Amino acid sequence: MATITYRNASCSYEGSDTPAVDSLNLDVEDGEFVVLVGPSGSGKSTALRMLAGLEDVYEGSIVIGGRDVVGVPSKDRDIAMVFQNYALYPNMTVAENIGFGLKLRRVSADERRRKVLEAAKLLGLTEFLDRKPAKLSGGQRQRVAMGRAIVREPQVFCMDEPLSNLDAKLRVQTRGDIAGLQRRLGVTTVYVTHDQVEAMTMGDRTAVLRDGRLQQFASPGELYDRPANVFVAGFIGSPAMNISTLPITQEGIRFDEGSTLPLERNHVTLLHKAGLDVVTIGIRPEQLQIDPSGDVEVVVDHVEDLGSEVYVYAHAGSGTPLVVRESARVAPKPSQRLRLRRRPEGVVHLFEPLTGERITFADSPRR
Amino acid sequence: MSITTSATTVAPSGATHAGPRARRATAGTRAGIPTYVVLTCLAIFSVGPIVLFFFNAVKTQQDYGHSSLGLPGSWQWGNFSAAWTRANMTAGIVNSLVIVVGTAAITCVVAGFAAYALARLRVRGGSAFMTLLLVTSSLPAQMFLVPLFYAWAKAGLYDTRLGLVIIYVGLFSPFATLLLRSFMLTLPREFEEAARIDGAGELSVLFRIVLPNSLPGLLTVALVTGLSAYNEFLFAVTFIQNADLLPLSTTFFSFQQGFSQDYTLVSAAGFIMIAPMLILFLALQRRFIDGLSSSGLGGT
């Protein structure tokens, strides 16, 4: 068990001008489950591989349990990794795969057998111990890869999209299994994914990366409720938050002639004082509702009926797209004209139109 | 009435759609007669000489003189043992075995290390070395015959089996390296990374992960180089003089020169010579073809 610290850690690939990971700063606490999330090319896997010693750290440092591991080979870092394709050794049986790390550490054969059996029992693999990986299903392979990681009782687990090769149903189940296992073992874990459901449900804290830079590192709830910038706001949540840059009037945010989303008066004043004529607003689909006396008029483009709820995709007169999440019973028809209003508890996020950074007011409520 | 009309108008267009699809389906499951004819011709073309060779090997001299292309009148199995003893084939087989196994083993080791370095390690000048391998393996080997002869005579390697093995390793390892390298490139890098994280050093990674998983590639290399070493004639006849050290290819050659009048014995000796490779290939043909095609060098 150990803490992990990235201190201005950077990595760039040969032949590339921009660094894959740019001055990353992260503090992972002992026993914490941290998820790295971002679109492809955001540097999340590279950041994990730097921790595992599979990529060189060009600048800055990475500290595991108080020891700077830059320059330390992977084998001496006391970490375990689960790969996206599991990387089970095809020439070894399940038992040999799980016990390989112990064998290299010269653990006695009896001890090894005991630990392998223990891990196999934990993961329900006892009947497959003599099989080769080629004879296992995807889910079983995934569990063998987990077994190989936990049997060594390392300081840190590194997981690189371990669920992306499983089918949807198995993924949901395994998601819970991994999170449960991590809590039980209490091993500090860094988990990479591009799936925002995994990012929101599995980790204690989630780091959102984009173009090699850390955007925000916070609990899933905080990411959802108080995104630090437009990118995080748009990346976390499905369907994505409605984001558009619109002019500010005395009453609020102007969508079109006769369509203005009201804002708190003091916020409007503060925005004007800051010299802003336009602002980027973000409002989540569930924080809007259809109401005949609403503030913003829209035309419905199409409707997705999921049974339990409907997503109404519409656009305001100026062409600004808006998505609304509503209960399934009020599904409107395409081309229908509707009026929308913010739900009483709904939050409008405001972002600096040029930098995309969140605009915070001294009185804004924290959830 | 209208129903009949619509049916007749629909039918032709339906037929034109179904036609090609149906033909394709039959081609997929059952080959047409022309395909069989072509394949049979090719089979006769490649197997014919071997069969003819075999028939000649079991004919009497008179039989052979009477009809060199026909079936044998009486089966002279004794020709094989006669050819075996007269051509000194025991020594030939032993020498060939030593040379083939030696060449294949050393080539596998040399090419295995080189291919791993070229496929995986960051080696300075790696790509230049690759080009060198490609260029040198395309040079005609005869170019090196005379300088090698003098060098080997000086080094005391002339007229030794080791000398010949070293030449063969030099001749065959560039191709073997290229073949193994492309095979190793198909192995996911994650195997090695997982092993490193599990605590393996570079040598452990090579010996416990990369080489065991490259076994099909190594087997192909062993087969290809073994076969080439077995069939090689020019260097064998130039570098080995001692009759007790001659490999089969040259044993057969000197036997053929000594008994040029008795073609039945020459055929028997020839058949003995091709038999081991024929058996080996038939036994391992799937491996052989799989290895070549999966290495990405199937066309060469």
Side-chain angles (χ1 to χ4, degrees), chain A residues 293-334:
Chain A
S293 61
D295 314 295
V296 181
E297 191 187 56
V298 293
V299 179
V300 177
D301 294 322
H302 70 279
V303 177
E304 283 178 359
D305 192 343
L306 302 184
S308 59
E309 57 199 14
V310 287
Y311 297 134
V312 181
Y313 293 82
H315 66 269
S318 55
T320 312
L322 280 168
V323 186
V324 187
R325 198 174 90 186
E326 268 290 358
S327 76
R329 304 301 146 233
V330 295
K333 299 273 173 294

Side-chain angles (χ1 to χ4, degrees), chain A residues 14 49 52 54 56 74-75 79-81 83 85 87-92 97 100-101 103-105 148 152, chain B residues 122 187-202 204-205 207-214:
Chain A
E14 255 172 67
R49 292 169 59 84
L54 300 173
D56 293 334
S74 303
K75 68 186 175 83
I79 50 167
M81 184 150 169
F83 291 85
N85 61 4
L88 302 179
Y89 314 123
N91 54 320
M92 301 183 196
N97 260 288
F100 186 62
K103 195 173 178 181
L104 289 170
R105 282 174 172 71
R148 195 167 63 178
R152 278 187 16 229
Chain B
R122 269 179 266 176
L187 292 179
R189 217 174 253 275
E190 282 86 355
F191 290 157
E192 294 142 58
E193 293 176 345
R196 285 196 188 102
I197 289 174
D198 264 345
E202 282 308 312
S204 281
V205 169
F207 284 110
R208 290 178 194 241
I209 306 297
V210 178
L211 289 183
N213 287 308
S214 304

Side-chain angles (χ1 to χ4, degrees), chain A residues 45 137 269 299 314:
Chain A
S45 281
S137 72
T269 319
V299 179

Side-chain angles (χ1 to χ4, degrees), chain A residues 69-81:
Chain A
V69 292
V70 174
V72 176
S74 303
K75 68 186 175 83
D76 301 324
R77 292 192 182 195
D78 197 15
I79 50 167
M81 184 150 169

Side-chain angles (χ1 to χ4, degrees), chain B residues 261-286:
Chain B
Q261 72 285 7
D262 192 342
Y263 283 107
T264 58
L265 284 191
V266 170
S267 301
F271 199 79
I272 293 172
M273 194 194 149
I274 62 167
M277 285 298 127
L278 211 59
I279 293 165
L280 197 67
F281 184 80
L282 287 178
L284 296 172
Q285 57 176 333
R286 172 153 298 169

Side-chain angles (χ1 to χ4, degrees), chain A residues 98-172:
Chain A
I98 297 177
F100 186 62
L102 299 175
K103 195 173 178 181
L104 289 170
R105 282 174 172 71
R106 300 185 196 288
V107 174
S108 72
D110 284 342
E111 175 82 355
R112 212 160 65 214
R113 205 169 304 125
R114 193 180 59 75
K115 287 193 163 182
V116 167
L117 201 63
E118 213 171 89
K121 266 188 197 149
L122 191 64
L123 296 161
L125 287 168
T126 33
E127 54 190 302
F128 308 114
L129 283 175
D130 295 326
R131 282 201 204 166
K132 290 272 174 76
K135 297 260 189 276
L136 298 177
S137 72
Q140 290 161 348
R141 284 181 207 180
Q142 204 280 334
R143 279 183 279 152
V144 176
M146 286 297 296
R148 195 167 63 178
I150 63 174
V151 78
R152 278 187 16 229
E153 298 165 16
Q155 290 198 65
V156 174
F157 285 149
C158 299
M159 301 195 189
D160 191 359
E161 307 205 21
L163 303 184
S164 58
N165 284 343
L166 300 180
D167 63 53
K169 195 176 167 198
L170 199 55
R171 199 180 305 174
V172 174

